[in-house]
Structures are given as C-alpha cells and as structure tokens.
Amino acid sequence: MTARTPADDAPDGVVHVDGVAGRPQGRESGREIPEATVARLPIYLRALTSLADQGTDTCSSEDLAAAAGVNSAKLRKDLSYLGSYGTRGVGYDVAYLRYQIAREIGLTQDWPVIIVGIGNLGHALANFSGFRSRGFSVVALLDADPQRHDELVAGLPVRPFDDLERIVAGQGVSIGVIATPAVAAQDVADKLVACGITSILNFAPTVINVPDGVDVRKVDLSIELQILAYHEQRKAIPATAADGGLDEEVTA
Amino acid sequence: MTARTPADDAPDGVVHVDGVAGRPQGRESGREIPEATVARLPIYLRALTSLADQGTDTCSSEDLAAAAGVNSAKLRKDLSYLGSYGTRGVGYDVAYLRYQIAREIGLTQDWPVIIVGIGNLGHALANFSGFRSRGFSVVALLDADPQRHDELVAGLPVRPFDDLERIVAGQGVSIGVIATPAVAAQDVADKLVACGITSILNFAPTVINVPDGVDVRKVDLSIELQILAYHEQRKAIPATAADGGLDEEVTA
DNA sequence: GTCAGTTTGTTCTGTCGTTCACAAACCTCC
DNA sequence: GGAGGTTTGTGAACGACAGAACAAACTGAC
C-alpha cells in the first residue's frame, strides 16, 4: 500500500502528505513548467473541485479532461510536469491531486490583493466571491476620487490612492488589480511597482509598461468581443464574397 | 503617387479606398490569418487609434510595435497577413491602416450584443463604454430573476430570460455574453445556441460545451489571479527552497 | 504466480508561432 | 538620374506546443 488512500484523506482539500519512501514525491527541481501548462492548472483545479463536490474520489485522465474541456493526452502531459501523482491502471485521487495542483500554483497560502479604481468594474471585482474562495483576499480598495472615499464597497472602505504605500507595506501585498480608466492605468502601474507590487492584473484597456521582474496579465473585454466578431464575420460570408472582389469599392 | 496621401484622408477613421491599379490591394483570398495574429489585431487597432488621437499621420512598424507592446518583426508579419498596407522607407499611414484592420476584424458594421445575467458583473458590463465605442451595441439585458425585471441598467430594462428568442430573432443578434453564476452557465449557453447565437463570451467560471460552429471565448478573473500567484510564488522562493526538500512535510 | 485488462507517463512527430536577417522598395538630396 | 539612408515584407531558423502512440505499471481474477 502507498502512503495514501481515498479513505484517509482529509475531507476538504486539506491533505496530509508524508514523504514515505517508495512513492514518487513530486517534480524534480530541474524541470520548468511550460507557460501553457501553468495557464491550464487553474482549470484542472476547478474541475477537480467540482468532481470532489460530486463525491468523486478517483478519476481517470479521461474523466478529468472531459470536465476541464481538454484532450486527455494534454492533461496527462500537463500533470506530468508536476510529478507522478497518478496510479497506472487506476487514475488520480481527486483530493490528493487537487492539493498538489493547489500547492504548485501557490494557493496553500493566502494572497492579499488590492484593487485600484472603484468604478463599475471595481465594484464588481470587489464583490466577486471567486477571489476569496480561491485563496485571494481583497484587503483594500483605492480610488483617486475623494467623492468615493470612505464609501463602503463589499464591506471595505474606499481609501485614497495616497494610502497605497502604507497599505502595501503593512499588509505585505504583492498583487494589485487595476480597474481604472485607461488614461490613469500607466500612472497607477508605476506607483504600484514603486511600492513593491510585483504582479498586476490589468483591466484597463491599454498597454502598460513595467520593469523586468513584474508580471502583468491583461483582461480586456472589448478585445475578446473583437476576436469573436472576426470569426463571426467569417461565418457570415457565404464563401463566395470571400473569394476576391471584396477589396475593391470598400467604403466606410 | 499612390491613391492615398496623409493629407487627403478623411479626418476620423472614415477612409475612402478606391481600387487604383498599382497599389497592392489587400490580402489574396487563399491566405488564412493565424489565430495568434487575430488576437493581436484589436491591440494594434487600439494603438493606432491612440496614435491618431495624438495627431500622428504616419508611423513606422517600430513606433506601432512600441505602442502595442510587441516586437516590431512580429507586428510586420502580422500585418503582412492582411496585405501590403505599408510603404517601404516610410511606414504606415495611421488612418488607412486603422481602417484596414477594422474592416478585417469586421468592425465596419455594428454588432448587436445581449448580456445574460445582470448581477454585479452584468451591471459593469452593461455600463462599459468600450463596447459601443468599438462597434458593439448592447441591445438587451436578460436575467432569470423576476425581481430584477424592468429595472433600468445603463438605460436598458432588464428583461426575462424567456424573451430571449424574440430578441435574438428580432434584432439579428449573433453574439451573447454570459455573466451568470457558474451553475446556470451551461443551461444559458444551450438556450443561446438554440436561438441562433453563434459567438459567446463567457464570464462564468466554468467550462461550457457548445456544438461545432459556435465560438466561445472565456474570461476568468480568478484564473488570471492564480496564474499570477504561480509566478509570484516562484519569485518569492530564494532558489534554495525550490531545490528539493519542500515536498516533505507539506501540510495545509 | 500468472494473465488479461486498464490507465498513466513519456517519447516522437508534425504544426504553429516567434525571431532574425536581408532583399526589395521607397524617399531625399545632390 | 544616381547614391545613400530608411523601412517594409518575407524566407528561414528556431523554439514551443499539441496530439498520437506506446511501453511501463498497476489491479483483480483465477
């Protein structure tokens, strides 16, 4: 028998892992996880949580791949970058694998997050329950507009942007969310970086420049729509108009 | 002289393009635009708009690449899929290129969009000005909750989800936005598809399955944060802890 | 203990995407 | 009209990723 059985797993994500000899124990330090794989780990994590909620103890790569909406070969390869957490002939233990992925992503600790720009989107983000449930806690809301100060949003007071440095230093924040208008985004990003923030999630529809060592991820609503529009346009054309003749006499 | 000069372009995005012989006129029908390129076209479009607002008539690939935050070689290759819209030794005419990209994406027409699920996020989306300014118009807001019906959000009444078919058929809607809780998303997606929607932008944190011919793009806030957390965790480890020894005695 | 059936982990191969480097094309100046 | 400088468009090398296919490893039956 190995170090784990479905029966002795803690009920809710808290899995005790002891380094018993004979069980492959995670990834060797040399391997780097490809970026494409990193981007899918949260999807697997969610799929595993869903399976666990349904009472599933064990699943095959085929099952999990279906739940995550990917190819099973891809799933197995992705998981292999983390280590050998499955059992051939059996599959994966849901709770165990879930914990391993969570640990790999870094969700075994709590990440304090601040949100800058409490407009429509900032409100929605502050109220978004998916943050806290996944190990992120919004510790402060900042806005440059004095009219918004001290207003309570999702139980937190909106604070002036000048409090940034104190908050970041005091709470050990390393992740910031920008939900300001586009014109303010670069300035906010600069100040976040200056205070020690090293990861930024940018909702403002503009490119922001940051120094090396700072990660930026962009979420852009209208870009996603435009990509859809491109494909939609292609569908609508009945294959005749697309074959030449369209480029002439084009006017706005 | 070619068919265009910076001077005789219409002032604001409306560019008259006539098929004068001697000027390369767009892409041949055979070529397919790579998906990665399609995803960047909206970024170039935004950068061009920004340059135009600053009064710039002409820009080099280097300029535009800097504004869009990409490599200039990549930019040139991307644009080459659309056609030869630049002039060697000179660069690109901002207004002309902007129009060509907009046409390629399909933004010369207006795309009606419906939003399903008018919670916190739905509110923010309905009020998001970036939609209308880029050729998308929100024509209806739907919600299953009767308590929300007829409430005015961004000037539009929230309507019952059962009105879906009538609205889609009546307004010729082909793009739908899902901003419901995760549990409702698949059901909403099925109904959207049944009514003839062929492009879906999904904000619900779950995988949705659709038949072939329907495009889905996913925007997932917590996944983005988790990806940031992964890299953040890697930064924090001072390269010693990462080299083994961490896998034992890990508890939540 | 052996055999059949199942499922993982990994290797291999083709495709897609990025980057470099350079010829072709253009402008300006003389 | 020609020379020199500039910039695009693209061929080619390179790297990352996806998917198929298979050997290795496990379970359970007998």
Side-chain angles (χ1 to χ4, degrees), chain A residues 217-230:
Chain A
R217 293 194 66 87
K218 190 176 62 170
V219 174
D220 196 310
L221 317 181
S222 72
I223 283 183
E224 299 298 326
L225 273 187
Q226 289 176 58
I227 296 171
L228 285 176
Y230 170 82

Side-chain angles (χ1 to χ4, degrees), chain B residues 126-197:
Chain B
N127 281 297
F128 180 49
S129 61
F131 286 161
R132 180 164 291 280
S133 72
R134 264 165 259 278
F136 300 92
S137 54
V138 178
V139 297
L141 309 176
L142 303 176
D143 201 296
D145 182 0
Q147 297 233 330
R148 290 216 176 93
H149 294 164
D150 295 329
E151 181 189 338
L152 276 183
V153 175
L156 282 172
V158 177
R159 300 171 66 173
F161 189 60
D162 293 336
D163 287 4
L164 176 67
E165 194 163 359
R166 190 154 11 112
I167 293 168
V168 171
Q171 310 242 15
V173 181
S174 56
I175 301 179
V177 177
I178 298 179
T180 65
V183 286
Q186 182 63 59
D187 194 48
V188 167
D190 292 341
K191 297 212 168 83
L192 289 178
V193 171
C195 290
I197 296 278

Side-chain angles (χ1 to χ4, degrees), chain B:
Chain B
M1 203 50 215
T2 63
R4 68 193 168 79
T5 66
D8 67 8
D9 282 332
D12 200 347
V14 182
V15 183
H16 184 72
V17 181
D18 41 6
V20 172
R23 160 147 259 285
Q25 283 296 317
R27 148 184 68 88
E28 301 303 314
S29 62
R31 267 184 288 182
E32 266 293 306
I33 300 183
E35 193 56 35
T37 296
V38 171
R40 282 188 293 265
L41 290 180
I43 302 175
Y44 302 152
L45 190 62
R46 178 175 293 155
L48 284 166
T49 302
S50 171
L51 287 173
D53 288 347
Q54 293 166 26
T56 308
D57 289 331
T58 305
C59 69
S60 68
S61 64
E62 204 71 50
D63 297 337
L64 184 52
V70 301
N71 183 298
S72 71
K74 195 191 311 198
L75 171 79
R76 287 199 301 277
K77 181 155 282 236
D78 283 343
L79 294 183
S80 77
Y81 289 115
L82 311 187
S84 287
Y85 294 133
T87 306
R88 296 174 193 227
V90 178
Y92 299 93
D93 181 274
V94 171
Y96 180 70
L97 181 58
R98 182 157 66 123
Y99 171 72
Q100 292 297 343
I101 293 178
R103 185 178 58 82
E104 192 69 41
I105 299 177
L107 300 190
T108 47
Q109 60 180 291
D110 215 65
W111 294 96
V113 172
I114 60 169
I115 300 175
V116 182
I118 312 301
N120 278 311
L121 184 58
H123 262 90
L125 293 175
N127 281 297
F128 180 49
S129 61
F131 286 161
R132 180 164 291 280
S133 72
R134 264 165 259 278
F136 300 92
S137 54
V138 178
V139 297
L141 309 176
L142 303 176
D143 201 296
D145 182 0
Q147 297 233 330
R148 290 216 176 93
H149 294 164
D150 295 329
E151 181 189 338
L152 276 183
V153 175
L156 282 172
V158 177
R159 300 171 66 173
F161 189 60
D162 293 336
D163 287 4
L164 176 67
E165 194 163 359
R166 190 154 11 112
I167 293 168
V168 171
Q171 310 242 15
V173 181
S174 56
I175 301 179
V177 177
I178 298 179
T180 65
V183 286
Q186 182 63 59
D187 194 48
V188 167
D190 292 341
K191 297 212 168 83
L192 289 178
V193 171
C195 290
I197 296 278
T198 47
S199 289
I200 294 176
L201 183 53
N202 180 31
F203 285 89
T206 184
V207 176
I208 60 177
N209 295 304
V210 295
D212 283 352
V214 178
D215 284 316
V216 175
R217 291 195 67 87
K218 189 176 65 170
V219 174
D220 196 310
L221 317 182
S222 73
I223 283 183
E224 298 298 327
L225 271 187
Q226 289 175 59
I227 295 171
L228 284 176
Y230 170 83
H231 293 294
E232 195 61 40
Q233 186 191 32
R234 285 296 174 97
K235 290 178 202 164
I237 297 173
T240 56
D243 289 344
L246 243 183
D247 287 325
E248 307 184 10
E249 285 298 339
V250 176
T251 55

Side-chain angles (χ1 to χ4, degrees), chain A residues 133-162:
Chain A
S133 73
R134 265 165 258 279
F136 300 92
S137 55
V138 178
V139 297
L141 309 176
L142 304 176
D143 201 295
D145 182 0
Q147 297 233 329
R148 291 215 174 93
H149 294 165
D150 295 328
E151 180 189 339
L152 276 184
V153 175
L156 282 172
V158 176
R159 300 170 67 173
F161 188 60
D162 292 338

